[in-house]
């Protein structure tokens, strides 16, 4: 993005730096001159008005006392004709009634000032106390005082003084403007000499910002501008070197990271294949052992039990003394074989649940839940499944069976729960869904996952088939949610 869109250019800033102070100085000086001249006018007008009012009061005294109003009128008109600042003159009696008045034909519209003075009689210089007889000293003092016999009012305008001062103000303003123009031209000259080096420096910085480090600036510029240009050139060279070095390091690091990623991916694939093969071999081995136990040991135990029953029946038909021992031994043999047969059945069930292959996942889990509910009376176990849940068998079914088995084992060992529920569901998109919930005391899934082999085994089983596990636990209980994708269509 071009820099002038963000703010003013160097040229405009230099012009402002050169012209703005001069313009401000010119305006301030003109305002000061104008203010000083206006204050002088006000002072002159005030002094002249007071003087004229005092003089008119003195000259009007005899006319007012003698009642010679025509003489007063002539005096006022002559004074207006001789003084251009006066716009109106008035002589008033002691009751402020007008006795004589004179004003200019065109009073104008400028600012005016009014001045008023009383007309007083002259003090008596004789001693009146001798000729007054019975009149006391107080009455004589009153007669000796000055008496006010009227008033004069003088109205002046500023226009003549403003016109007189306007020429001086104009000359001063022209002189100030000329000085300001000279200062501005000098500032423009200095700004033009600074503008070109700064523009070249800014252009070089823009090139550097876009990644072009081959900048060309003159190295013979004197002063700070030359130092700035040389610093920009040095910075561009250093940035170019650093960029090439960084690109080489990034390229080498990228190659190393890619090799590490490939190695990790291969190792992960091999690990997943190894885990899958190990689980498959374990299940195959369990199935083989269960089959052998069922086919060989189971049939042998059944035969022994039948023989023991036969001995017992034979003993019932023989002599009482011998037959009693035979019957007792046969009964003990029958009981031992029965216990042995039950243990063999339990071992077979642990290695490979026969009901899973015979009736499917739902029936096998139902039998497991009933077994847990029977063995652990302090906790009630239940199973809920969708009505359309299929009879699953195969690798996914055995993984689901082991996951539920491990989850219920955790409930018994660690949760102290009073209720546990297993819910089965099926979805054509996400596959098999299993949720195991309890109302136990809960645990921390993060810390427990690092130390419990059961949770690690769950994750490993799910990793084999690409499944997922979500654990939520708190003071109100725990929830295990499993998702197992199905390889075959339902």
């Amino acid at each position: 993005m071009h820099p002038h869109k963000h703010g003013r250019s160097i040229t405009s800033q230099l012009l402002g730096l050169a012209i703005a102070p001069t313009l401000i100085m010119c305006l301030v000086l003109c305002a000061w001159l104008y203010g000083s001249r206006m204050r002088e006018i006000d002072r002159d007008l005030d002094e002249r008005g007071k003087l004229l009012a005092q003089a008119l009061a003195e000259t009007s005294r005899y006319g007012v006392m003698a009642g010679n109003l025509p003489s007063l009128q002539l005096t006022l008109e002559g004074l207006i004709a001789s003084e251009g600042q006066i716009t109106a003159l008035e002589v008033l009696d002691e009751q402020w009634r007008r006795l004589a008045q004179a004003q200019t034909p065109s009073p104008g519209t400028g600012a005016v000032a009014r001045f008023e003075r009383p007309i007083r009689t002259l003090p008596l210089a004789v001693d009146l106390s001798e000729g007054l007889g019975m009149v006391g000293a107080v009455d004589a003092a009153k007669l000796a005082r000055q008496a006010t016999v009227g008033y004069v009012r003088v109205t002046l305008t500023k226009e003549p003084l403003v016109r007189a001062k306007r020429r001086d103000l104009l000359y001063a303003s022209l002189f100030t403007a000329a000085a300001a123009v000279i200062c501005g031209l000098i500032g423009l000259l200095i700004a033009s000499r600074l503008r070109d080096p700064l523009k070249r420096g800014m252009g070089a910085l823009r090139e550097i910002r876009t990644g072009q480090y081959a900048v060309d600036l003159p190295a013979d510029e004197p002063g700070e501008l030359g130092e700035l240009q040389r610093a920009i050139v040095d910075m561009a060279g250093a940035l170019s070197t650093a960029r090439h070095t960084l690109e080489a390091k990034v390229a080498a690091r990228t190659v190393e990271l890619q090799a590490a990623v490939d190695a990790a991916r291969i190792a992960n694939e091999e690990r997943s294949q190894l885990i899958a093969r190990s689980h498959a071999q374990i299940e195959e081995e369990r199935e083989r052992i269960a089959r052998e136990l069922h086919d060989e040991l189971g049939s042998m135990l059944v035969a022994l039990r039948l023989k023991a029953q036969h001995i017992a029946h034979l003993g019932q038909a023989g002599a009482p003394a011998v037959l009693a021992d035979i019957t007792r031994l046969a009964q003990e043999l029958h009981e031992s074989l029965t216990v042995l047969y039950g243990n063999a059945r339990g071992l077979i069930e642990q290695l490979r649940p026969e009901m899973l292959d015979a009736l499917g996942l739902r029936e096998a889990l139902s039998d497991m839940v009933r077994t847990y509910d029977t063995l652990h009376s302090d906790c009630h176990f239940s199973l809920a499944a969708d009505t359309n849940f299929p009879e699953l068998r195969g690798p996914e079914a055995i993984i689901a069976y082991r996951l539920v088995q491990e989850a219920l084992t955790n409930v018994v060992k660690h949760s102290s729960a009073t209720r546990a529920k297993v819910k089965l569901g099926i979805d054509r998109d996400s596959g098999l869904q299993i949720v195991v919930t309890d109302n136990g005391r809960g645990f921390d899934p993060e810390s427990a996952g690092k130390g419990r082999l059961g949770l690690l085994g769950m994750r490993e089983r799910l990793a084999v088939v690409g499944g997922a596990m979500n654990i939520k636990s708190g003071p109100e209980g725990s929830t295990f949610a499993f998702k197992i994708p199905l390889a075959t269509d339902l």
Side-chain angles (χ1 to χ4, degrees), residues 305-383:
R305 187 176 61 179
L306 292 176
K307 290 180 180 180
Q309 291 177 351
H310 182 65
I311 293 173
H313 288 304
L314 292 177
Q316 294 176 0
V322 179
L323 293 179
D325 293 335
I326 294 175
T327 301
R328 180 178 56 79
L329 292 175
Q331 188 64 34
E332 292 177 358
L333 178 61
H334 179 269
E335 293 175 359
S336 300
L337 291 175
T338 301
V339 173
L340 181 59
Y341 181 76
N343 293 336
R345 295 291 299 177
L347 181 61
I348 293 171
E349 187 67 24
Q350 292 180 5
L351 292 174
R352 178 74 177 189
E354 293 181 334
M355 191 171 293
L356 182 64
D357 295 328
L359 301 178
L361 178 62
R362 180 171 58 180
E363 296 300 329
L365 291 179
S366 179
D367 181 70
M368 180 196 300
V369 170
R370 284 194 302 269
T371 302
Y372 272 90
D373 189 60
T374 302
L375 296 177
H376 305 283
S377 59
D378 53 347
C379 181
H380 175 65
F381 294 84
S382 62
L383 174 69

Side-chain angles (χ1 to χ4, degrees), residues 188-483:
L188 289 176
L189 179 61
I190 296 174
S192 64
R193 295 186 62 183
L194 294 175
R195 181 184 59 187
D196 293 338
L198 289 176
K199 287 182 66 176
R200 289 194 295 269
M202 289 301 299
L205 290 175
R206 294 189 190 101
E207 292 179 359
I208 292 173
R209 186 177 63 180
T210 58
Q212 301 177 7
Y213 302 110
V215 296
D216 185 15
L217 291 176
D220 56 350
E221 187 74 26
E224 288 81 0
L225 290 177
E227 184 178 356
L228 175 62
Q229 291 179 350
R230 288 188 291 272
I232 292 174
V233 173
D234 295 339
M235 180 184 66
L239 288 175
S240 179
T241 303
R243 179 180 179 178
H244 291 308
T245 303
L246 182 60
E247 288 177 351
K249 290 182 178 179
V250 169
R253 186 59 178 167
T254 302
V255 173
E256 294 176 358
L257 289 176
Q258 186 61 42
V261 169
D262 293 340
R265 179 177 53 81
I266 294 173
N268 189 40
E269 292 177 355
E270 292 177 349
R271 175 174 170 272
S272 298
Q273 293 175 0
L274 179 61
I275 292 173
R277 183 178 178 184
S278 298
H279 283 297
Q281 289 179 348
I282 290 172
E283 292 300 333
E284 291 176 0
E285 183 66 18
R286 286 179 174 178
E287 184 178 2
R288 185 188 63 80
I289 294 173
R291 190 182 304 112
E292 290 181 358
L293 289 175
H294 181 270
D295 295 341
E296 298 181 6
L297 182 59
S299 59
M300 183 183 300
L301 292 174
V302 170
L304 290 174
R305 187 176 61 179
L306 292 176
K307 290 180 180 180
Q309 291 177 351
H310 182 65
I311 293 173
H313 288 304
L314 292 177
Q316 294 176 0
V322 179
L323 293 179
D325 293 335
I326 294 175
T327 301
R328 180 178 56 79
L329 292 175
Q331 188 64 34
E332 292 177 358
L333 178 61
H334 179 269
E335 293 175 359
S336 300
L337 291 175
T338 301
V339 173
L340 181 59
Y341 181 76
N343 293 336
R345 295 291 299 177
L347 181 61
I348 293 171
E349 187 67 24
Q350 292 180 5
L351 292 174
R352 178 74 177 189
E354 293 181 334
M355 191 171 293
L356 182 64
D357 295 328
L359 301 178
L361 178 62
R362 180 171 58 180
E363 296 300 329
L365 291 179
S366 179
D367 181 70
M368 180 196 300
V369 170
R370 284 194 302 269
T371 302
Y372 272 90
D373 189 60
T374 302
L375 296 177
H376 305 283
S377 59
D378 53 347
C379 181
H380 175 65
F381 294 84
S382 62
L383 174 69
D386 293 344
T387 56
N388 59 344
F389 194 84
E391 296 181 359
L392 290 179
R393 298 176 178 84
E396 294 85 359
I398 188 61
I399 290 176
Y401 185 88
R402 298 302 183 191
L403 290 173
V404 174
Q405 188 178 40
E406 184 63 34
L408 295 182
T409 302
N410 288 332
V411 171
V412 173
K413 289 183 177 180
H414 307 291
S415 69
S416 301
T418 59
R419 292 190 310 273
K421 183 177 181 179
V422 180
K423 183 177 179 181
L424 297 178
I426 201 76
D427 186 84
R428 293 184 178 275
D429 297 327
S430 58
L432 179 60
Q433 297 179 349
I434 305 174
V435 179
V436 180
T437 59
D438 65 74
N439 63 344
R441 60 190 177 188
F443 63 97
D444 184 6
E446 295 296 331
S447 60
K450 299 177 181 178
R452 293 184 181 177
L453 296 178
L455 296 181
L456 295 176
M458 289 181 181
R459 291 192 176 94
E460 293 295 336
R461 289 181 183 275
L462 289 170
V464 173
V465 294
M469 178 176 64
N470 184 22
I471 302 175
K472 295 181 180 180
S473 185
E476 297 180 356
S478 304
T479 300
F480 290 78
F482 308 105
K483 292 184 180 180

Side-chain angles (χ1 to χ4, degrees), residues 123-124 126-129 132 135-146:
L124 297 177
V126 296
D127 188 3
L128 298 178
S129 61
L132 292 175
V135 180
V138 176
D139 294 332
K142 288 182 180 181
L143 293 175
R145 293 174 184 171
Q146 287 181 308

Side-chain angles (χ1 to χ4, degrees), residues 3-209:
H4 74 272
K5 295 183 180 179
H6 295 286
R8 296 178 297 173
S9 62
I10 295 178
T11 303
S12 62
Q13 294 185 25
L14 289 176
L15 290 176
L17 182 63
I19 296 175
T22 304
L23 182 60
I24 293 173
M25 180 188 68
C26 179
L27 293 176
V28 171
L29 185 57
C30 290
W32 179 82
L33 289 174
Y34 178 79
S36 64
R37 294 297 184 270
M38 294 304 297
R39 287 191 295 272
E40 290 178 3
I41 291 173
D42 291 337
R43 287 195 300 269
D44 293 344
L45 186 67
D46 184 70
E47 293 176 358
R48 193 167 184 80
K50 291 179 180 178
L51 182 62
L52 285 174
Q54 185 65 33
L56 183 59
E58 295 291 336
T59 57
S60 302
R61 179 184 301 118
Y62 296 103
V64 171
M65 294 178 65
N68 190 1
L69 299 181
S71 176
L72 287 176
Q73 186 67 33
L74 290 176
T75 301
L76 297 180
E77 292 176 355
L79 189 58
I80 283 183
S82 63
E83 293 290 339
Q85 289 181 267
I86 303 176
T87 61
L89 294 173
E90 296 177 88
V91 179
L92 310 171
D93 61 7
E94 67 274 11
Q95 302 297 327
W96 293 91
R97 293 188 295 257
R98 187 179 293 114
L99 299 176
Q101 179 184 9
Q103 63 180 10
T104 58
S106 56
T109 59
V112 297
R114 290 184 175 86
F115 301 90
E116 296 177 350
R117 287 289 185 274
I119 303 174
R120 301 180 184 274
T121 60
L122 292 175
L124 297 177
V126 296
D127 188 3
L128 298 178
S129 61
E130 296 179 357
L132 292 175
M134 297 302 294
V135 180
V138 176
D139 294 332
K142 288 182 180 181
L143 293 175
R145 293 174 184 171
Q146 287 181 308
T148 300
V149 295
Y151 299 93
V152 296
R153 181 180 292 161
V154 179
T155 304
L156 301 179
T157 181
K158 294 183 179 181
E159 290 183 0
L161 294 176
V162 171
R163 287 195 298 268
K165 297 290 185 180
R166 189 174 296 166
R167 180 178 300 174
D168 295 339
L169 184 62
L170 178 61
Y171 287 154
S173 300
L174 290 176
F175 177 78
T176 303
V181 170
I182 293 173
C183 293
L185 292 176
I186 295 174
L188 289 176
L189 179 61
I190 296 174
S192 64
R193 295 186 62 183
L194 294 175
R195 181 184 59 187
D196 293 338
L198 289 176
K199 287 182 66 176
R200 289 194 295 269
M202 289 301 299
L205 290 175
R206 294 189 190 101
E207 292 179 359
I208 292 173
R209 186 177 63 180

